Amino acid sequence: QDMTIGFSQIGSESGWRAAETTVTKQQAEARGITLKFADAQQKQENQISALRSFVAQGVDAILIAPVVATGWDEVLEEAKEAEIPVVLLDRTVDAPDDLYLTAVTSDLVHEGEVAGRWLVDEQAGAECRIVELQGTTGSSPAIDRKAGFEKAIAGNDNLKIVRSQTGDFTRSQGKVVMESFLKAEGGENICALYAHNDDMAVGAIQAIKEAGLNPGEDIKIVAIDGVPDAHLAIANGEMNATIELTPNMAGPALDALMAYKTDGTVPPKWIQTESRLYTAADDNQAIYEEKNGLGY
Amino acid sequence: MIRSTHLPLIVTLATFVLAYALCAWQYPSMLSLRVVANLLTDNAFLGIVAVGMTFVILSGGIDLSVGSVIAFTGVFLAVVLRDTTLHPLMAFALVLVITSAFGAAMGSIIHYLEMPPFIVTLAGMFLARGAAYVLSTDSVPITHEFYDALQQVYWKTASGGRFRLIGGVMIVTFLVGIMVAHRTRFGQNVYALGGGSATSRLMGVPVASTTIGIYAISGGLAGLAGIVFSLYTSAGYSLATVGVELDAIAAVVIGGTLLTGGFGFVAGTFFGILIMGLIQTYIVFDGTLSSWWTKIVIGGLLFAFILLQKGLTWASTARRKVATGFVTPS
Amino acid sequence: MTDERRPMLQAKGISKFFPGTVALDNVDLTLHGGEIHALLGENGAGKSTLIKCLTGVYRRDSGRVLLQGKEVDPTLTHHSQRLGIGTVYQEVNLLPNLTVAENLYLGRQPMRGPFVDRRRMNTQARDTLRDYGIQIDPAQPLSTYSVAVQQVVAIARAVEMSGKVLILDEPTASLDHEEVQLLFSVIRRLKDRRLAVVFITHFLDQVFDICDSATVLRNGQVVGRVDLATTSRNDVITLMLGRQLAAQVRAPKPKAGGNTLLQIEGLQKTGMLNRFDLSLNEGEVVGLAGLLGSGRTETANLIFGAVKADQGKLTFRGKEIQLRNPRDAVAQGFALCPEDRKTDGIVGELSVRDNIILALQARQGWMRKVRRKKIEAIAEHYVRTLDIRLANLDMPIRLLSGGNQQKALLARWLATDPNFLILDEPTRGIDIGAHAEIIALIGRLQQDGMALLVASSEMEELVAYSNRVIVLRDRTQVKELVGEEITSDNIIRAIAADPQVEAAV
Amino acid sequence: MTRNAFLRRITPQLIILAIVLGLNVLVFPDFFDVEMKNGRLFGNLIDVLNRGAPTALLCLGMTLVIATKGIDLSVGAVMAIAGATAASLVVEGNHWLVAVLGALSVGALCGLWNGFLVAFLRIQPIVATLVLMVAGRGIAQLITEGTILTFLDPGLIHLGAGTVLGVPTPVLIWLTLGLFVAVFVRRTALGMLIEAIGINEASSRLAGINSRVLLVCVYVVSGIGAAIAGVIVAADIQGADANNAGLWLELDAILAVVIGGNSLLGGRFSIVASLLGAMIIQSVNSLILLSGMPPEFNLIIKALLIIAILVIQSPKVGHLLYILRASAPQPHPKQLPPLKENLR
Ligand SMILES: Nc1ncnc2c1ncn2[C@@H]1O[C@H](COP(=O)(O)OP(=O)(O)OP(=O)(O)O)[C@@H](O)[C@H]1O
Ligand SMILES: Nc1ncnc2c1ncn2[C@@H]1O[C@H](COP(=O)(O)OP(=O)(O)OP(=O)(O)O)[C@@H](O)[C@H]1O
Ligand SMILES: [Mg+2]
Ligand SMILES: [Mg+2]
């Protein structure tokens, strides 16, 4: 049967976001679902009104990638009342969980931990002064990934974060801030960089090169998302590790929805996507090739 | 009595009706009361700041700080209600005082230091957002039975749409705004400033108090909008409502108020808001626009509406030019 | 006048410095209730500045102001308004975006409860303005009406404001004879209500017509306070200028010798000007006479291309030319000194120097900048020949006094040495000294073979320099006076003449 | 204008710049150290010059636009468009010069559009440019299809990340262009004519100035400046980030112009002062980065610093200082206050 699903996307602020949008559209198409797409330009108010419009339109189901965790109760209630199942993508909300069908997300804190643990193992007790490139101040990935990483390195007093500044999740800011880190600390005194996303890491890599150091060797680099350029950097030995955040949240979500629609099977409240660690051990070149098509 | 100056207002109204008709014709389900209710609810906070912005723009100024002030208000309320036992109403009063004072401060700087509003309020924008960050970076949910109570205040239509309290607040704000702008001395002084501050000074308009008053109102309404927004999302978030000032300005302009000041109507802004909301709704109903096309289309429609306004003001002034034969730059 | 009565307003030792100028130097002014007092002086003497110091527009640097013996110190105009001092400042200072009524009552609107009572405001406004002889809809935006009307509204507003003192800074500059008479009757009424009235103007006959006494300023200092009943016109002039005014010898005008320069046929634009024809010879001065709103300014603007005409054929030196905008006109060697100095003339923030070379530079195009030496030369030259009073050439032109601004604008156009110069009210707001100079100047330009078209409201002036006078009425060319016919009476008759009679002729 | 008049004009900016740099030294003692690292000058000062490039380039056009009583909100979006254009062109395998030319012409086109709206349709500049500000990013993303368009063309990259004799290319670019424009507008009559239309367009028109063409020109200049900035930013990170390139940078540019002591009401302007303004802003940013404060304080620090700077600069305060200095006002033009007295 043909379904109409509304998809409220945050925006297109990063390559990863663009990829998620592309994948979602592909997944919907593959299942013969008509997808109504609404880009919220990074504004929660737009997402809320988009949801309301979807409800008013009477779609069969709603996918939403919430820009922030809070503030969804009211509109979700309206959806529930109109008996439209809602599935959350890549971020949960703190609303009573009977208001949505399920949430397909990674665990942001966990991602941070993975990154942290990787560094702990990598250093194996050796002294290491870490600099951190945070995401956009106040955004939940920035907060959780920071928390996770700190949790993981806690207790290893050979590792300590000496500087932490926001790079707004963007390449250029990543580069600018890394430059100032290099000046302020002196490149040789920095042993590792932890970036909240790959874009910033890629920017930082260039800054490190321009400072006459070898990214990946002089300064170890771990970041999160697993965008193609990161894999390429790893392949070129300029970066050490990235934790993949799959852009394919829609696949599982749509499966759950179809199942629910057809024979009412209620999915678990949380479908966690794998946060896989990629290092030089993997064939990054190949991954790069394959991912490049996804509109990162 | 209809004056040539009423024209823009009428046009905006006509445009809205026409646009809505077109939308409804393409997507009949847009004709439901539910959509109307949504328009009011979802644009409540924007409408309220837009009223303040109208006053500012009528006086020939501009206020870029409102978006940040809304965010600050939200965070402030959330933090206060989380960390203290203060009753929300008290918190509301407190925050309204703070934001009005903030506006008044900007107004004083603008007047006494003779600095351009654009810059002063730009600094204000950084300051308010910065203050929000300092209060709390991550988003703070507001859980207070009083909030739940307020959120339960609505009139439910048959179609399931809800006319919520905040929509009502917006409408009341507009009504008050209209009265103040067009029926009080203060309102007249606002228009006078828009006509030329040097001249109004010579004519004995209390420029200082008026300027300060205007920005205080704008700040205060931004505070009110912040309260409404916190009711709307029952949370405070320092990254919220980025760039809302531009939406507000756009709404005011579409509503037929001239950015050069002196000409326009608060009521026009109301329809400006509805038109903006309509654009959003239409795009969602359409649902085929990619992220980038969304931006392009919004820009395009904005342009279309401005052009329409332009055409009409031009038509009316052209008639006047013939009547008096004064040389005005064409 | 018996001076033991306590004066209504008394200013003692007022001084005002501006960077580069001493605008007022220890000036005294005494006004009595029921007295109409003239404030006289050349352009730049400090009249407007004195007014602005009295009414709190400027902070004075020293001196005291006593209102009915009590020391007052208005720091804002609405203070002085509350004190009962109503003022019309030199340039029309009203708000074009508000309605006439709103302008009239701004700050003291009739209220119903907390709200402005618009209906009452409008009716009151209509009645008030009727006393000044204009019948207009006060609910329309002020910008709908002409300078004249706006001036009248400004005066009305000031009168309404003034409980004790009324100050009028060159209110009659853009008014017609009738309107002036109306104004005077109002002023006399106020005089009977024992108000003190300050009247600034450069029209001496108006001064002698209505004023009782006068204070004369020169270069910011009081050079005399005279009782007009017992003073002769020439004494006043001498006092103002500090020299005898070269007796207004009317040198026999040079005959319009040269061959045809410009031919205008059927120039017209609906709502502005009906068919206008004119053939102009080199070295000829043609005057444009008419009442306010008769379309002189429109004519000037249409010829200059400032406003695009619906139709009309211009032949310049034998070949037809198209003027789509002022640039084309300037390119042809046309020049226009506009009527409204403030909005169409000066570029306020720019230095006097830049203002003077602006037109020349514009014609040369932005690539070829006029050489600094040449700029200096030109500026110096005109400041000297036109005797423009300024602190230095670098001061923003907006700081010049009204009359000096006018001269600077004249300089701007003479610098382009045009072969056809249009002057719209060239002597508006100019002191007698300068007035004579400008008339003389027109004569000289004419001798140099320049053709001039001069729109003016002053008959004597037109008579003085015109070879021909074209009379406009209701935007139509109704009569042309040549040679000996040109007398004030004839012009006035032509202006006043009843259309029917015209038609019969 | 004469040399010492020029110096007098830019003194406030120089002083403020000195102060802010001083603060930088406070938080980071060897701020002024500059060394050679693998063939490029390396040091905070260089960074300030280098990172200030985009703002500086935007300033050029913005100053002229503001001098005409206008404002250009679209520059940030234009940067994105230009970057995207250049990137997509090299990715398609064109020579990098072609790409740059392409980007510049796109920028010029955007300027033309803005200029047309302002000069011919007579739409108020803020709104007119708001349109492109909103739609522009969309257009940019349309070109890159939302992805970050990465490229490896050395020629293009050199413009953003390369060095000439150790000096980062962007620094050279903005210094040369800045100097060129600053001199050009004064050697020709352009500057004066622009000021004239900014102050009183009606009069200028009657004086025979072709105001419309001039208006369009300044917006085109602004567009081109933005385009260059966009190319540099893209080249710097070897990729066109349509969504983030130049985001909110228009505000920095406007701030810089105002810090440069130019009035938003149009009229007299000084390019050099604006460029100094850009450097002041960049020094403030570097101060924030070096201070090592947690990021949530960034904005508030920036806001407070900027407010302080603006207040110091405001004509009123300037005049007060003047009065304090000159006890009794002397009527000598030489002693004119640096910031001329404001009429009330
Ligand atoms: N704000 C100012 N700054 C500097 N100089 C000024 C300022 N205002 C006026 N002046 C100077 O003060 C002198 C007096 O100017 P004022 O306008 O009072 O002359 P006026 O008597 O009104 O002349 P007019 O009859 O032409 O109006 C003039 O020389 C003028 O240049
Ligand atoms: N007393 C008046 N009442 C109403 N409208 C007027 C009056 N005087 C002028 N106007 C309007 O002003 C317009 C132009 O007046 P303007 O002053 O340009 O005419 P003018 O012949 O140039 O007179 P002047 O040059 O003496 O001002 C006219 O079209 C007329 O409609
Ligand atoms: Mg005067
Ligand atoms: Mg006239």
Side-chain angles (χ1 to χ4, degrees):
Chain A
Q1 88 292 21
D2 64 342
M3 277 212 295
T4 307
I5 293 186
F7 173 34
S8 166
Q9 175 62 288
I10 294 178
S12 55
E13 71 278 8
S14 69
W16 185 88
R17 190 60 66 187
E20 186 191 30
T21 308
T22 326
V23 175
T24 310
K25 286 182 175 166
Q26 288 171 353
Q27 294 288 344
E29 218 170 311
R31 295 171 172 73
I33 295 172
T34 43
L35 192 75
K36 284 201 172 274
F37 175 75
D39 179 304
Q41 323 279 331
Q42 280 82 30
K43 289 193 188 142
Q44 181 178 22
E45 55 269 32
N46 290 358
Q47 282 200 298
I48 296 180
S49 67
L51 254 58
R52 287 220 164 89
S53 303
F54 284 143
V55 174
Q57 218 170 341
V59 295
D60 303 309
I62 295 176
L63 300 182
I64 174 173
V67 62
V68 51
T70 53
W72 301 98
D73 311 38
E74 256 183 36
V75 61
L76 288 181
E77 266 160 21
E78 285 187 32
K80 182 159 193 258
E81 181 176 283
E83 288 162 354
I84 300 176
V86 176
V87 178
L88 313 175
L89 297 189
D90 76 62
R91 228 173 267 180
T92 50
V93 299
D94 51 18
D97 67 1
D98 62 321
L99 288 183
Y100 55 88
L101 179 63
T102 173
V104 184
T105 78
S106 70
D107 180 338
L108 293 168
V109 180
H110 176 63
E111 292 167 356
E113 285 181 61
V114 177
R117 256 188 260 105
W118 173 84
L119 191 61
V120 173
D121 305 344
E122 181 75 11
Q123 284 310 105
E127 278 300 324
C128 185
R129 309 176 81 244
I130 307 165
V131 294
E132 179 184 33
L133 282 172
Q134 300 186 25
T136 305
T137 314
S139 65
S140 49
I143 294 162
D144 294 349
R145 286 175 178 173
K146 186 173 177 41
F149 185 82
E150 283 167 350
K151 186 149 143 246
I153 65 168
N156 309 58
D157 33 24
N158 58 323
L159 308 180
K160 72 174 196 303
I161 301 177
V162 290
R163 276 189 182 257
S164 174
Q165 185 42 277
T166 175
D168 285 328
F169 282 130
T170 68
R171 263 194 207 189
S172 47
Q173 273 307 312
K175 182 172 183 182
V176 173
V177 177
M178 190 63 202
E179 274 177 358
S180 78
F181 283 171
L182 290 167
K183 306 279 184 331
E185 293 298 323
E188 57 287 351
N189 307 333
I190 301 175
C191 106
L193 161 69
Y194 166 50
H196 288 186
N197 79 351
D198 287 337
D199 287 342
M200 290 190 290
V202 172
I205 289 176
Q206 292 165 15
I208 297 172
K209 280 195 206 150
E210 285 170 19
L213 298 165
N214 297 335
E217 297 166 21
D218 304 342
I219 298 181
K220 301 213 164 41
I221 300 173
V222 53
I224 302 173
D225 272 2
V227 305
D229 287 338
H231 288 289
L232 190 60
I234 298 180
N236 304 343
E238 297 173 340
M239 185 167 163
N240 306 74
T242 182
I243 292 93
E244 180 183 40
L245 171 61
T246 172
N248 181 7
M249 306 265 174
L254 293 177
D255 293 336
L257 266 175
M258 305 280 264
Y260 177 74
K261 283 281 177 185
T262 44
D263 46 37
T265 45
V266 178
K269 271 299 160 193
W270 184 21
I271 308 177
Q272 182 180 357
T273 60
E274 181 189 14
S275 304
R276 170 147 180 237
L277 175 76
Y278 285 88
T279 60
D282 309 83
D283 176 2
N284 288 285
Q285 195 60 39
I287 304 170
Y288 171 72
E289 305 300 344
E290 135 208 2
K291 275 191 174 178
N292 232 353
L294 295 181
Y296 271 101
Chain B
M1 152 223 57
I2 301 282
R3 267 197 254 129
S4 51
T5 45
H6 280 97
L7 216 54
L9 181 55
I10 299 160
V11 176
T12 325
L13 176 55
T15 330
F16 172 69
V17 174
L18 191 74
Y20 197 27
L22 283 176
C23 295
W25 169 70
Q26 193 174 354
Y27 302 105
S29 52
M30 267 184 83
L31 207 50
S32 71
L33 259 184
R34 181 177 204 123
V35 172
V36 179
N38 292 352
L39 271 182
L40 293 181
T41 314
D42 294 330
N43 297 295
F45 75 99
L46 186 57
I48 294 173
V49 280
V51 174
M53 188 65 80
T54 314
F55 277 90
V56 176
I57 291 181
L58 277 177
S59 77
I62 196 161
D63 186 350
L64 299 178
S65 70
V66 289
S68 309
V69 172
I70 296 178
F72 169 82
T73 311
V75 177
F76 179 87
L77 288 172
V79 170
V80 165
L81 295 181
R82 182 191 62 191
D83 302 349
T84 75
T85 62
L86 208 61
H87 185 276
L89 283 176
M90 287 308 300
F92 290 172
L94 188 60
V95 81
L96 284 179
V97 171
I98 295 177
T99 51
S100 310
F102 181 68
M106 291 194 296
S108 332
I109 296 183
I110 291 169
H111 174 74
Y112 290 111
L113 297 188
E114 289 168 5
M115 283 162 55
F118 190 98
I119 289 304
V120 176
T121 56
L122 179 58
M125 162 176 152
F126 292 154
L127 197 61
R129 177 102 30 207
Y133 280 146
V134 174
L135 281 178
S136 157
T137 48
D138 76 11
S139 78
V140 185
I142 299 178
T143 51
H144 192 290
E145 59 281 357
F146 183 72
Y147 262 70
D148 307 337
L150 289 182
Q151 282 159 343
Q152 291 321 310
V153 183
Y154 55 74
W155 174 64
K156 190 150 179 280
T157 64
S159 54
R162 288 177 172 77
F163 287 92
R164 295 186 178 272
L165 176 66
I166 57 177
V169 175
M170 167 175 77
I171 291 178
V172 173
T173 317
F174 266 103
L175 293 178
V176 176
I178 291 174
M179 290 315 277
V180 173
H182 305 301
R183 286 274 173 276
T184 67
R185 281 198 177 156
F186 176 79
Q188 292 262 300
N189 293 341
V190 173
Y191 277 85
L193 279 190
S197 69
T199 308
S200 357
R201 197 179 279 114
L202 283 182
M203 288 179 76
V205 173
V207 178
S209 56
T210 313
T211 311
I212 296 174
I214 290 168
Y215 286 90
I217 289 181
S218 176
L221 285 181
L224 182 58
I227 295 172
V228 164
F229 194 76
S230 73
L231 276 164
Y232 181 54
T233 62
S234 55
Y237 183 33
S238 47
L239 275 181
T241 61
V242 173
V244 157
E245 52 279 353
L246 292 180
D247 296 345
I249 294 171
V252 173
V253 170
I254 292 178
T257 302
L258 294 194
L259 267 170
T260 38
F263 298 93
F265 297 93
V266 177
T269 305
F270 182 69
F271 297 107
I273 290 288
L274 291 186
I275 290 176
M276 303 265 292
L278 203 61
I279 295 177
Q280 280 293 341
T281 318
Y282 176 84
I283 288 175
V284 174
F285 267 70
D286 174 64
T288 60
L289 293 183
S290 65
S291 304
W292 27 100
W293 276 111
T294 311
K295 293 194 179 78
I296 298 176
V297 168
I298 292 179
L301 290 173
L302 180 62
F303 177 56
F305 285 113
I306 294 167
L307 216 53
L308 204 70
Q309 289 297 349
K310 197 67 207 167
L312 279 136
T313 38
W314 177 81
S316 55
T317 49
R319 265 200 275 95
R320 200 176 301 153
K321 231 184 279 169
V322 173
T324 66
F326 293 134
V327 200
T328 49
S330 56
Chain C
M1 204 161 343
T2 52
D3 269 348
E4 46 275 18
R5 265 194 301 101
R6 193 184 60 181
M8 177 72 84
L9 183 83
Q10 211 169 4
K12 288 185 179 159
I14 305 283
S15 296
K16 176 70 182 171
F17 307 95
F18 289 118
T21 337
V22 183
L24 294 176
D25 178 359
N26 180 3
V27 170
D28 296 348
L29 181 69
T30 312
L31 307 175
H32 295 280
E35 171 194 32
I36 304 179
H37 189 82
L39 191 55
L40 302 175
E42 298 176 283
N43 297 125
K47 303 181 293 298
S48 302
T49 310
L50 177 57
I51 299 313
K52 290 183 174 166
C53 288
L54 289 180
T55 54
V57 179
Y58 292 158
R59 307 288 295 110
R60 56 181 183 280
D61 292 320
S62 72
R64 308 166 47 222
V65 179
L66 303 160
L67 188 65
Q68 292 177 319
K70 283 192 312 299
E71 172 131 17
V72 295
D73 181 16
T75 52
L76 291 170
T77 41
H78 69 277
H79 292 172
S80 56
Q81 286 177 4
R82 270 204 228 89
L83 292 171
I85 305 175
T87 318
V88 176
Y89 297 96
Q90 188 160 1
E91 306 81 13
V92 180
N93 272 300
L94 294 175
L95 295 156
N97 61 319
L98 299 188
T99 70
V100 172
E102 287 168 342
N103 269 292
L104 208 46
Y105 289 101
L106 186 60
R108 47 193 188 88
Q109 299 90 341
M111 306 295 277
R112 201 195 306 108
F115 297 125
V116 173
D117 183 347
R118 284 184 169 279
R119 188 174 291 97
R120 192 139 59 86
M121 193 165 78
N122 286 331
T123 44
Q124 284 181 11
R126 185 175 281 99
D127 302 344
T128 319
L129 289 177
R130 197 175 290 116
D131 300 349
Y132 295 84
I134 43 178
Q135 303 263 9
I136 53 173
D137 173 7
Q140 288 298 327
L142 184 79
S143 54
T144 331
Y145 300 103
S146 73
V147 193
V149 177
Q150 299 185 9
Q151 186 61 272
V152 175
V153 175
I155 295 169
R157 175 182 164 83
V159 171
E160 300 284 301
M161 290 274 188
S162 54
K164 297 174 180 139
V165 182
L166 171 62
I167 302 175
L168 302 170
D169 190 349
E170 302 196 28
T172 53
S174 53
L175 294 188
D176 274 332
H177 189 66
E178 289 67 24
E179 286 152 320
V180 172
Q181 290 316 316
L182 268 166
L183 172 61
F184 283 2
S185 61
V186 176
I187 294 182
R188 292 205 176 85
R189 254 181 281 143
L190 296 172
K191 176 180 179 171
D192 302 337
R193 294 210 333 240
R194 309 221 55 74
L195 258 72
V197 181
V198 178
F199 185 64
I200 302 180
T201 182
H202 293 292
F203 298 111
L204 276 189
D205 33 15
Q206 289 182 2
V207 171
F208 280 91
D209 180 348
I210 188 169
C211 299
D212 309 308
S213 57
T215 297
V216 182
L217 290 177
R218 194 192 313 146
N219 301 336
Q221 290 169 327
V222 178
V223 289
R225 186 180 201 285
V226 297
D227 182 345
L228 290 168
T230 64
T231 324
S232 83
R233 186 185 167 100
N234 274 342
D235 301 346
V236 174
I237 294 177
T238 331
L239 209 51
M240 281 168 61
L241 305 185
R243 59 183 158 86
Q244 290 285 347
L245 182 61
Q248 286 254 14
V249 282
R250 274 194 25 218
K253 313 171 203 163
K255 274 276 126 278
N259 35 17
T260 323
L261 183 76
L262 176 69
Q263 204 147 18
I264 305 171
E265 292 162 62
L267 185 71
Q268 78 168 54
K269 182 174 178 69
T270 41
M272 277 201 183
L273 183 69
N274 310 327
R275 179 173 183 84
F276 183 88
D277 305 278
L278 170 65
S279 151
L280 197 72
N281 295 348
E282 286 167 350
E284 183 177 31
V285 180
V286 174
L288 271 181
L291 294 180
L292 277 181
S294 56
R296 290 164 296 176
T297 298
E298 285 79 352
T299 315
N301 292 336
L302 284 168
I303 297 177
F304 194 63
V307 183
K308 213 170 171 315
D310 295 345
Q311 46 174 283
K313 177 155 165 288
L314 270 69
T315 327
F316 184 71
R317 295 229 163 99
K319 53 180 156 31
E320 176 163 0
I321 54 169
Q322 296 293 344
L323 302 185
R324 269 168 275 91
N325 50 38
R327 243 178 317 130
D328 300 351
V330 176
Q332 295 291 345
F334 287 23
L336 166 68
C337 268
E339 174 179 21
D340 188 337
R341 207 184 290 133
K342 196 175 170 190
T343 63
D344 304 331
I346 64 170
V347 181
E349 293 299 325
L350 280 193
S351 68
V352 179
R353 181 190 291 103
D354 290 352
N355 267 279
I356 290 181
I357 62 153
L358 194 59
L360 182 62
Q361 183 61 69
R363 193 176 62 188
Q364 283 206 6
W366 58 269
M367 276 309 277
R368 299 182 32 247
K369 183 174 189 178
V370 184
R371 272 172 291 94
R372 170 168 271 106
K373 273 201 181 46
K374 191 169 171 200
I375 297 180
E376 290 305 329
I378 294 177
E380 302 288 351
H381 172 71
Y382 286 106
V383 168
R384 230 180 308 102
T385 46
L386 302 183
D387 165 44
I388 305 174
R389 307 282 171 79
L390 38 61
N392 61 335
L393 279 167
D394 291 311
M395 75 191 282
I397 195 170
R398 72 178 161 83
L399 303 186
L400 285 189
S401 71
N404 285 308
Q405 290 177 0
Q406 182 72 341
K407 292 187 193 168
L409 288 180
L410 214 55
R412 172 190 293 174
W413 287 113
L414 295 183
T416 66
D417 69 62
N419 30 37
F420 174 42
L421 175 60
I422 308 171
L423 302 174
D424 194 351
E425 307 286 353
T427 56
R428 177 168 292 177
I430 287 205
D431 67 52
I432 347 177
H435 191 288
E437 290 165 21
I438 284 183
I439 292 182
L441 183 73
I442 291 178
R444 266 191 285 146
L445 295 172
Q446 176 179 23
Q447 257 133 1
D448 306 350
M450 189 184 297
L452 293 95
L453 182 69
V454 187
S456 172
S457 319
E458 289 181 56
M459 308 308 162
E460 307 73 19
E461 182 182 317
L462 286 171
V463 175
Y465 48 65
S466 310
N467 302 102
R468 273 187 291 156
V469 172
I470 293 177
V471 179
L472 293 173
R473 192 194 309 129
D474 305 339
R475 320 171 166 297
T476 339
Q477 201 171 358
V478 290
K479 197 153 177 41
E480 173 161 332
L481 302 167
V482 189
E484 290 315 310
E485 303 173 297
I486 306 178
T487 63
S488 307
D489 314 357
N490 286 349
I491 298 177
I492 294 174
R493 211 173 295 115
I495 290 178
D498 179 73
Q500 277 65 28
V501 186
E502 266 318 306
V505 174
Chain D
M1 58 184 145
T2 64
R3 172 170 289 96
N4 57 25
F6 168 73
L7 284 180
R8 182 163 356 102
R9 171 67 178 78
I10 64 171
T11 321
Q13 284 71 34
L14 288 172
I15 294 174
I16 292 172
L17 184 56
I19 295 175
V20 179
L21 291 177
L23 290 176
N24 272 287
V25 178
L26 275 190
V27 299
F28 185 65
D30 23 14
F31 176 81
F32 283 111
D33 296 10
V34 175
E35 53 192 315
M36 253 322 193
K37 275 205 182 164
N38 67 325
R40 68 186 293 139
L41 288 172
F42 184 88
N44 291 293
L45 217 47
I46 304 300
D47 283 355
V48 171
L49 287 171
N50 190 12
R51 291 302 156 205
T55 321
L57 286 166
L58 295 185
C59 273
L60 295 180
M62 191 65 81
T63 311
L64 297 180
V65 170
I66 286 178
T68 64
K69 237 199 195 85
I71 199 161
D72 188 349
L73 295 181
S74 69
V75 283
V78 175
M79 281 177 67
I81 301 178
T85 317
S88 61
L89 280 175
V90 284
V91 168
E92 285 163 15
N94 297 294
H95 188 274
W96 65 272
L97 276 172
V98 180
V100 173
L101 285 182
L104 293 193
S105 19
V106 170
L109 212 63
C110 295
L112 213 55
W113 161 261
N114 286 333
F116 173 74
L117 296 197
V118 173
F120 288 87
L121 301 190
R122 293 273 154 204
I123 302 176
Q124 298 114 334
I126 290 193
V127 208
T129 52
L130 183 62
V131 172
L132 193 53
M133 178 187 186
V134 175
R137 287 202 179 277
I139 299 171
Q141 288 178 320
L142 188 63
I143 299 173
T144 63
E145 285 156 342
T147 68
I148 297 184
L149 205 47
T150 316
F151 53 83
L152 299 167
D153 179 296
L156 190 54
I157 293 174
H158 184 276
L159 289 180
T163 62
V164 179
L165 308 171
V167 184
T169 330
V171 181
L172 294 175
I173 295 179
W174 79 257
L175 279 176
T176 356
L177 277 177
L179 218 62
F180 171 73
V181 176
V183 171
F184 185 78
V185 291
R186 292 305 170 190
R187 282 266 168 279
T188 64
L190 214 49
M192 195 251 275
L193 297 183
I194 287 175
E195 287 171 344
I197 49 176
I199 297 164
N200 183 342
E201 185 168 359
S203 305
S204 314
R205 217 174 132 270
L206 280 175
I209 298 177
N210 192 342
S211 57
R212 288 185 173 179
V213 170
L214 277 180
L215 273 176
V216 175
C217 284
V218 294
Y219 283 92
V220 170
V221 172
S222 171
I224 294 178
I228 301 175
V231 172
I232 287 182
V233 167
D236 179 38
I237 59 168
Q238 306 179 13
D241 185 347
N243 195 74
N244 300 309
L247 196 58
W248 301 121
L249 213 56
E250 53 274 356
L251 297 184
D252 274 5
I254 296 167
L255 263 182
V257 174
V258 172
I259 291 179
N262 302 294
S263 160
L264 280 179
L265 301 178
R268 300 314 202 93
F269 70 90
S270 158
I271 300 254
V272 177
S274 300
L275 294 177
L276 286 173
M279 288 306 115
I280 291 174
I281 290 186
Q282 191 51 43
S283 320
V284 169
N285 294 341
S286 116
L287 180 63
I288 290 169
L289 288 181
L290 290 174
S291 67
M293 291 274 253
E296 48 268 37
F297 290 97
N298 291 3
L299 262 180
I300 213 157
I301 299 174
K302 185 170 181 175
L304 292 176
L305 282 172
I306 286 176
I307 293 174
I309 293 175
L310 291 173
V311 168
I312 297 170
Q313 283 228 322
S314 83
K316 252 315 168 53
V317 176
H319 187 56
L320 288 182
L321 296 177
Y322 162 72
I323 289 179
L324 294 186
R325 266 194 271 103
S327 49
Q330 293 108 333
H332 294 307
K334 326 226 161 351
Q335 267 117 335
L336 275 173
L339 302 128
K340 65 175 169 358
E341 104 126 327
N342 269 54
L343 266 176
R344 8 184 46 260

